[in-house]
Amino acid sequence: MPDVAVLVGSLRSGSVNRQLADNVARIAGDRLTLRQVPLGDLPMYDHDLWDDTPEAVTAFKEQVGGADAILLVTPEYNRYFPPVIKNAIDWGSKPMGANVWTGKPAAAIGATPGQLGAMSAVLSATQLLTIVGCAVMAQPSVFFNHRDDMHDSDGVLTDESAREFLSGWVDSFAAWIERMS
């Protein structure tokens, strides 16, 4: 079963995007193993830090580099993905010759309470993943319109049509990973 490194672009423990990532992991069942890689301990990218590489950076690069694929789950801040995602992608792409993104099958999805469901952030993140060398699945897209009535009190998705949609997306992503591997 493919091992997928999941990067959640919201640091807040109760974020709707963390809920989305958790629900996709539940729905994936025996098709994919989704493992969230922490981003909050990464320092802001500074090339000078390579002289004494922070442990958080080394651990991040090992986790992403060892994964079979990447799933980026992003909120939308001012019609863009948050800085924590850009920072993580920068750390993973450096130093020259040690880019952990190159050739990795990847996808970006996102959720917001708004009608467009993080569409701008997902599209921007998809472009950036392509630039650093990921083989990005562009379709089907997940621009998830988060509503509180879709979940139980623990954040578990109870809306059956949303579960079916995400299950179909997981099938597509699993097939994409297999095709790109």
Side-chain angles (χ1 to χ4, degrees), residues 65-145:
D68 299 314
I70 307 298
L71 174 59
L72 196 151
V73 184
T74 183
E76 185 169 285
Y77 298 165
N78 299 315
R79 300 267 186 241
Y80 213 69
F81 55 84
V84 69
I85 289 175
K86 177 67 165 78
N87 189 52
I89 289 175
D90 288 347
W91 276 115
S93 69
K94 307 287 184 198
M96 190 167 294
N99 183 349
V100 297
W101 310 111
T102 302
K104 294 265 188 212
I109 65 175
T112 64
Q115 283 186 307
L116 298 179
M119 181 176 69
S120 294
V122 169
L123 294 174
S124 299
T126 297
Q127 180 183 25
L128 182 56
L129 287 170
T130 301
I131 289 167
V132 295
C134 289
V136 182
M137 180 179 84
Q139 292 292 328
S141 300
V142 177
F143 312 130
F144 199 77
N145 173 243

Side-chain angles (χ1 to χ4, degrees), residues 5-157:
V6 180
L7 311 179
V8 179
S10 177
L11 300 179
R12 188 171 62 88
S13 61
S15 81
V16 299
N17 283 278
R18 192 161 310 284
Q19 285 182 5
L20 176 59
D22 291 343
N23 280 297
V24 169
R26 283 184 200 97
I27 291 166
D30 62 356
R31 295 173 281 178
L32 299 171
T33 299
L34 280 79
R35 161 180 65 70
Q36 291 185 31
V37 178
L39 304 182
D41 292 336
L42 291 173
M44 289 302 293
Y45 183 81
D46 178 348
H47 188 79
D48 291 341
L49 294 178
W50 288 116
D51 294 336
D52 187 18
T53 307
E55 186 176 320
V57 171
T58 302
F60 172 78
K61 288 185 66 92
E62 287 173 359
Q63 290 176 318
V64 171
D68 299 314
I70 307 298
L71 174 59
L72 196 151
V73 184
T74 183
E76 185 169 285
Y77 298 165
N78 299 315
R79 300 267 186 241
Y80 213 69
F81 55 84
V84 69
I85 289 175
K86 177 67 165 78
N87 189 52
I89 289 175
D90 288 347
W91 276 115
S93 69
K94 307 287 184 198
M96 190 167 294
N99 183 349
V100 297
W101 310 111
T102 302
K104 294 265 188 212
I109 65 175
T112 64
Q115 283 186 307
L116 298 179
M119 181 176 69
S120 294
V122 169
L123 294 174
S124 299
T126 297
Q127 180 183 25
L128 182 56
L129 287 170
T130 301
I131 289 167
V132 295
C134 289
V136 182
M137 180 179 84
Q139 292 292 328
S141 300
V142 177
F143 312 130
F144 199 77
N145 173 243
H146 174 88
R147 295 184 332 269
D148 288 336
D149 65 350
M150 300 173 80
H151 302 83
D152 66 17
S153 60
D154 294 322
V156 176
L157 189 62

